[in-house]
Amino acid sequence: MGQRIAGRLHDVAASLSGAVERDRREAAEVQLAREAQERLAADRARQEAQERQQVRERERVAEKFNTIAGKREAGAHGYGDHNSDWKATPEALRKAVDAYNGANQHTKDLYIEQIQREPKMARAVGQLIGERELILQRDRGMSL
């Protein structure tokens, strides 16, 4: 009788041990799945933040372009053909500004939208604006 009880206790212990091991494996799998979801959520959040930053940068470039074009169109000081601010503007940007100013409002709106929407266009315009700003800083003795 003692051996039967010992045998049954051994069977129960083995069964419990198997159940505990299964629970540990399941808990580990759940933890791994949770960690994977957290990593995906963090990656998604980083990507969305990066995309928002890129949108803001494209909007900033479009705004700067629009400001330069507006000053040129209004004949603001420094934006005439022979003024230093205008001469500091890279030729490609001068041509784009003059073409923009010669266009109708619908075309102007489309051009600004294109800068805001297309990363490649925003980079190109932004690079020209950056070159202009560096030249202006250097000419005013503000280089780093």
Side-chain angles (χ1 to χ4, degrees), residues 65-84:
F65 177 85
N66 199 27
T67 299
I68 292 169
K71 287 181 178 183
R72 171 78 171 157
E73 190 171 42
H77 177 70
Y79 287 83
D81 288 339
H82 303 291
N83 295 102
S84 61

Side-chain angles (χ1 to χ4, degrees), residues 55-76:
V55 166
R56 284 191 297 271
E57 177 62 21
R58 291 192 305 267
E59 289 171 350
R60 187 187 64 78
V61 167
E63 183 179 321
K64 282 186 174 190
F65 177 85
N66 199 27
T67 299
I68 292 169
K71 287 181 178 183
R72 171 78 171 157
E73 190 171 42

Side-chain angles (χ1 to χ4, degrees), residues 18-80:
V20 167
E21 185 56 35
R22 265 192 317 278
D23 286 349
R24 283 187 187 144
R25 275 195 313 268
E26 288 174 6
E29 289 171 4
V30 167
Q31 181 64 27
L32 286 174
R34 185 177 302 125
E35 289 171 359
Q37 286 177 333
E38 289 171 358
R39 281 192 305 273
L40 287 174
D43 288 346
R44 196 173 318 124
R46 271 191 298 278
Q47 184 177 4
E48 289 171 358
Q50 184 178 19
E51 288 171 4
R52 284 190 305 274
Q53 177 62 31
Q54 290 169 351
V55 166
R56 284 191 297 271
E57 177 62 21
R58 291 192 305 267
E59 289 171 350
R60 187 187 64 78
V61 167
E63 183 179 321
K64 282 186 174 190
F65 177 85
N66 199 27
T67 299
I68 292 169
K71 287 181 178 183
R72 171 78 171 157
E73 190 171 42
H77 177 70
Y79 287 83

Side-chain angles (χ1 to χ4, degrees), residues 68 78-79 83-95 97 128-129 131-133 135-136:
I68 292 169
Y79 287 83
N83 295 102
S84 61
D85 284 3
W86 189 244
K87 285 182 178 181
T89 305
E91 184 177 351
L93 184 57
R94 282 186 278 169
K95 287 180 179 182
V97 165
L128 293 171
I129 291 171
E131 288 174 24
R132 177 182 186 275
E133 290 171 351
I135 292 168
L136 289 173

Side-chain angles (χ1 to χ4, degrees), residues 98-133:
D98 286 340
Y100 175 85
N101 285 339
N104 63 39
Q105 189 59 47
H106 177 71
T107 302
K108 287 180 178 181
D109 292 343
L110 290 176
Y111 190 77
I112 293 298
E113 286 175 22
Q114 188 177 16
I115 293 172
Q116 291 173 334
R117 189 179 59 248
E118 295 181 17
K120 207 174 198 180
M121 175 103 172
R123 271 193 304 277
V125 172
Q127 184 175 6
L128 293 171
I129 291 171
E131 288 174 24
R132 177 182 186 275
E133 290 171 351

